[in-house]
Each structure stands twice: as C-alpha cells, then as structure tokens.
Short mmCIF file of all heavy atoms in Angstrom, two decimals:
data_model
loop_
_atom_site.label_atom_id
_atom_site.label_comp_id
_atom_site.label_asym_id
_atom_site.label_seq_id
_atom_site.Cartn_x
_atom_site.Cartn_y
_atom_site.Cartn_z
N ARG A 1 77.61 119.83 107.03
CA ARG A 1 78.98 119.44 107.38
C ARG A 1 79.16 117.93 107.28
O ARG A 1 80.21 117.45 106.86
CB ARG A 1 79.32 119.92 108.79
CG ARG A 1 79.43 121.42 108.92
CD ARG A 1 80.57 121.97 108.08
NE ARG A 1 80.35 123.39 107.77
CZ ARG A 1 80.66 123.96 106.63
NH1 ARG A 1 81.20 123.23 105.65
NH2 ARG A 1 80.44 125.24 106.42
N ILE A 2 78.16 117.18 107.70
CA ILE A 2 78.23 115.72 107.58
C ILE A 2 78.34 115.31 106.12
O ILE A 2 79.15 114.45 105.74
CB ILE A 2 76.99 115.07 108.23
CG1 ILE A 2 76.99 115.31 109.74
CG2 ILE A 2 76.94 113.57 107.93
CD1 ILE A 2 75.68 114.95 110.42
N ALA A 3 77.52 115.93 105.29
CA ALA A 3 77.45 115.55 103.87
C ALA A 3 78.72 115.93 103.11
O ALA A 3 79.07 115.27 102.12
CB ALA A 3 76.24 116.20 103.22
N THR A 4 79.40 116.97 103.55
CA THR A 4 80.55 117.47 102.78
C THR A 4 81.90 117.09 103.40
O THR A 4 82.95 117.46 102.85
CB THR A 4 80.48 119.00 102.64
OG1 THR A 4 80.38 119.61 103.94
CG2 THR A 4 79.27 119.40 101.80
N LEU A 5 81.89 116.39 104.52
CA LEU A 5 83.15 115.95 105.13
C LEU A 5 83.75 114.83 104.29
O LEU A 5 83.11 113.81 104.04
CB LEU A 5 82.91 115.47 106.56
CG LEU A 5 84.15 115.18 107.39
CD1 LEU A 5 84.89 116.48 107.73
CD2 LEU A 5 83.78 114.43 108.67
N THR A 6 84.98 115.01 103.84
CA THR A 6 85.62 114.01 102.98
C THR A 6 86.76 113.31 103.72
O THR A 6 87.39 113.88 104.61
CB THR A 6 86.18 114.65 101.69
OG1 THR A 6 87.10 115.69 102.04
CG2 THR A 6 85.05 115.25 100.87
N PHE A 7 86.98 112.07 103.34
CA PHE A 7 88.02 111.23 103.94
C PHE A 7 89.38 111.64 103.39
O PHE A 7 89.51 111.96 102.21
CB PHE A 7 87.71 109.78 103.60
CG PHE A 7 88.42 108.77 104.43
CD1 PHE A 7 88.24 108.72 105.80
CD2 PHE A 7 89.24 107.81 103.85
CE1 PHE A 7 88.88 107.77 106.58
CE2 PHE A 7 89.88 106.85 104.61
CZ PHE A 7 89.69 106.83 105.99
N ARG A 8 90.40 111.62 104.25
CA ARG A 8 91.75 111.92 103.76
C ARG A 8 92.26 110.80 102.88
O ARG A 8 92.87 111.03 101.83
CB ARG A 8 92.72 112.13 104.92
CG ARG A 8 94.15 112.42 104.44
CD ARG A 8 95.13 112.44 105.60
NE ARG A 8 96.49 112.60 105.14
CZ ARG A 8 97.29 111.62 104.75
NH1 ARG A 8 96.84 110.36 104.74
NH2 ARG A 8 98.53 111.85 104.34
N GLY A 9 92.02 109.55 103.31
CA GLY A 9 92.47 108.42 102.52
C GLY A 9 93.96 108.18 102.63
O GLY A 9 94.59 108.47 103.66
N VAL A 10 94.57 107.64 101.57
CA VAL A 10 96.00 107.32 101.56
C VAL A 10 96.72 108.32 100.67
O VAL A 10 96.59 108.29 99.45
CB VAL A 10 96.24 105.86 101.10
CG1 VAL A 10 95.77 104.90 102.17
CG2 VAL A 10 95.52 105.54 99.80
N LYS A 11 97.48 109.21 101.27
CA LYS A 11 98.09 110.29 100.52
C LYS A 11 99.60 110.39 100.71
O LYS A 11 100.27 111.11 99.99
CB LYS A 11 97.46 111.64 100.92
CG LYS A 11 95.97 111.75 100.61
CD LYS A 11 95.67 111.66 99.13
CE LYS A 11 94.24 112.05 98.80
NZ LYS A 11 93.25 111.08 99.34
N GLY A 12 100.15 109.72 101.74
CA GLY A 12 101.59 109.77 101.92
C GLY A 12 102.04 110.99 102.70
O GLY A 12 101.26 111.77 103.22
N THR A 13 103.36 111.15 102.73
CA THR A 13 103.97 112.11 103.65
C THR A 13 103.66 113.56 103.33
O THR A 13 103.50 114.38 104.24
CB THR A 13 105.48 111.93 103.67
OG1 THR A 13 105.97 111.97 102.33
CG2 THR A 13 105.86 110.61 104.31
N THR A 14 103.62 113.94 102.08
CA THR A 14 103.27 115.33 101.73
C THR A 14 102.04 115.38 100.84
O THR A 14 101.78 116.39 100.19
CB THR A 14 104.44 116.04 101.03
OG1 THR A 14 104.82 115.29 99.86
CG2 THR A 14 105.63 116.20 101.97
N GLY A 15 101.30 114.31 100.81
CA GLY A 15 100.06 114.29 100.05
C GLY A 15 100.21 113.90 98.60
O GLY A 15 99.24 113.91 97.84
N THR A 16 101.42 113.51 98.17
CA THR A 16 101.67 113.21 96.75
C THR A 16 101.42 111.75 96.39
O THR A 16 101.46 111.39 95.21
CB THR A 16 103.12 113.56 96.38
OG1 THR A 16 104.00 112.68 97.10
CG2 THR A 16 103.44 115.01 96.73
N GLN A 17 101.24 110.89 97.37
CA GLN A 17 101.06 109.45 97.20
C GLN A 17 102.30 108.77 96.60
O GLN A 17 102.23 107.67 96.04
CB GLN A 17 99.83 109.14 96.32
CG GLN A 17 98.52 109.65 96.93
CD GLN A 17 97.32 109.38 96.06
OE1 GLN A 17 97.31 109.74 94.87
NE2 GLN A 17 96.30 108.76 96.62
N ALA A 18 103.45 109.43 96.76
CA ALA A 18 104.69 108.90 96.16
C ALA A 18 105.04 107.52 96.71
O ALA A 18 105.48 106.63 95.95
CB ALA A 18 105.84 109.88 96.42
N SER A 19 104.85 107.31 98.02
CA SER A 19 105.22 106.01 98.60
C SER A 19 104.36 104.89 98.04
O SER A 19 104.84 103.77 97.80
CB SER A 19 105.08 106.07 100.13
OG SER A 19 103.76 106.40 100.50
N PHE A 20 103.09 105.15 97.79
CA PHE A 20 102.20 104.12 97.26
C PHE A 20 102.46 103.89 95.77
O PHE A 20 102.34 102.77 95.28
CB PHE A 20 100.74 104.51 97.51
CG PHE A 20 100.42 104.63 98.98
CD1 PHE A 20 100.28 105.87 99.57
CD2 PHE A 20 100.31 103.50 99.77
CE1 PHE A 20 100.01 105.99 100.93
CE2 PHE A 20 100.04 103.59 101.12
CZ PHE A 20 99.90 104.84 101.71
N LEU A 21 102.85 104.96 95.10
CA LEU A 21 103.21 104.80 93.68
C LEU A 21 104.44 103.91 93.57
O LEU A 21 104.53 103.07 92.65
CB LEU A 21 103.47 106.17 93.07
CG LEU A 21 103.56 106.22 91.54
CD1 LEU A 21 102.24 105.81 90.90
CD2 LEU A 21 103.95 107.64 91.08
N ALA A 22 105.36 104.06 94.51
CA ALA A 22 106.55 103.22 94.51
C ALA A 22 106.19 101.76 94.82
O ALA A 22 106.73 100.83 94.19
CB ALA A 22 107.57 103.73 95.53
N LEU A 23 105.29 101.54 95.77
CA LEU A 23 104.87 100.18 96.12
C LEU A 23 104.27 99.46 94.91
O LEU A 23 104.50 98.27 94.70
CB LEU A 23 103.84 100.21 97.27
CG LEU A 23 104.37 100.41 98.70
CD1 LEU A 23 103.20 100.51 99.67
CD2 LEU A 23 105.29 99.26 99.10
N PHE A 24 103.48 100.21 94.15
CA PHE A 24 102.80 99.60 92.99
C PHE A 24 103.56 99.86 91.68
O PHE A 24 102.99 99.84 90.60
CB PHE A 24 101.36 100.11 92.89
CG PHE A 24 100.45 99.51 93.93
CD1 PHE A 24 100.13 100.21 95.09
CD2 PHE A 24 99.93 98.24 93.76
CE1 PHE A 24 99.30 99.65 96.04
CE2 PHE A 24 99.10 97.67 94.71
CZ PHE A 24 98.77 98.38 95.87
N GLN A 25 104.85 100.12 91.82
CA GLN A 25 105.77 100.21 90.68
C GLN A 25 105.27 101.16 89.60
O GLN A 25 105.26 100.84 88.40
CB GLN A 25 106.01 98.81 90.10
CG GLN A 25 106.65 97.88 91.13
CD GLN A 25 106.90 96.49 90.58
OE1 GLN A 25 106.23 96.04 89.64
NE2 GLN A 25 107.87 95.79 91.16
N GLY A 26 104.82 102.35 90.05
CA GLY A 26 104.44 103.40 89.11
C GLY A 26 103.05 103.26 88.53
O GLY A 26 102.70 104.02 87.61
#
C-alpha cells in the first residue's frame, strides 16, 4: 500500500486541470 499510494497533485475542480491550463494559457 505504501509503494502504490499515488499523490493527487494538481487536478482542479473536476480533475480536468482546466484552471491550470487557463493560468498557463493553454
């Protein structure tokens, strides 16, 4: 379980990373 636990990271409101894509202008 330790080895396979993955970080969520930065994914945005529904997981699409749309807000970050907008910040970095596509």
Side-chain angles (χ1 to χ4, degrees):
R1 291 297 157 217
I2 294 168
T4 55
L5 189 70
T6 58
F7 197 60
R8 179 188 176 274
V10 290
K11 297 297 191 293
T13 52
T14 57
T16 66
Q17 299 179 307
S19 59
F20 298 105
L21 193 63
L23 281 176
F24 286 100
Q25 299 180 335

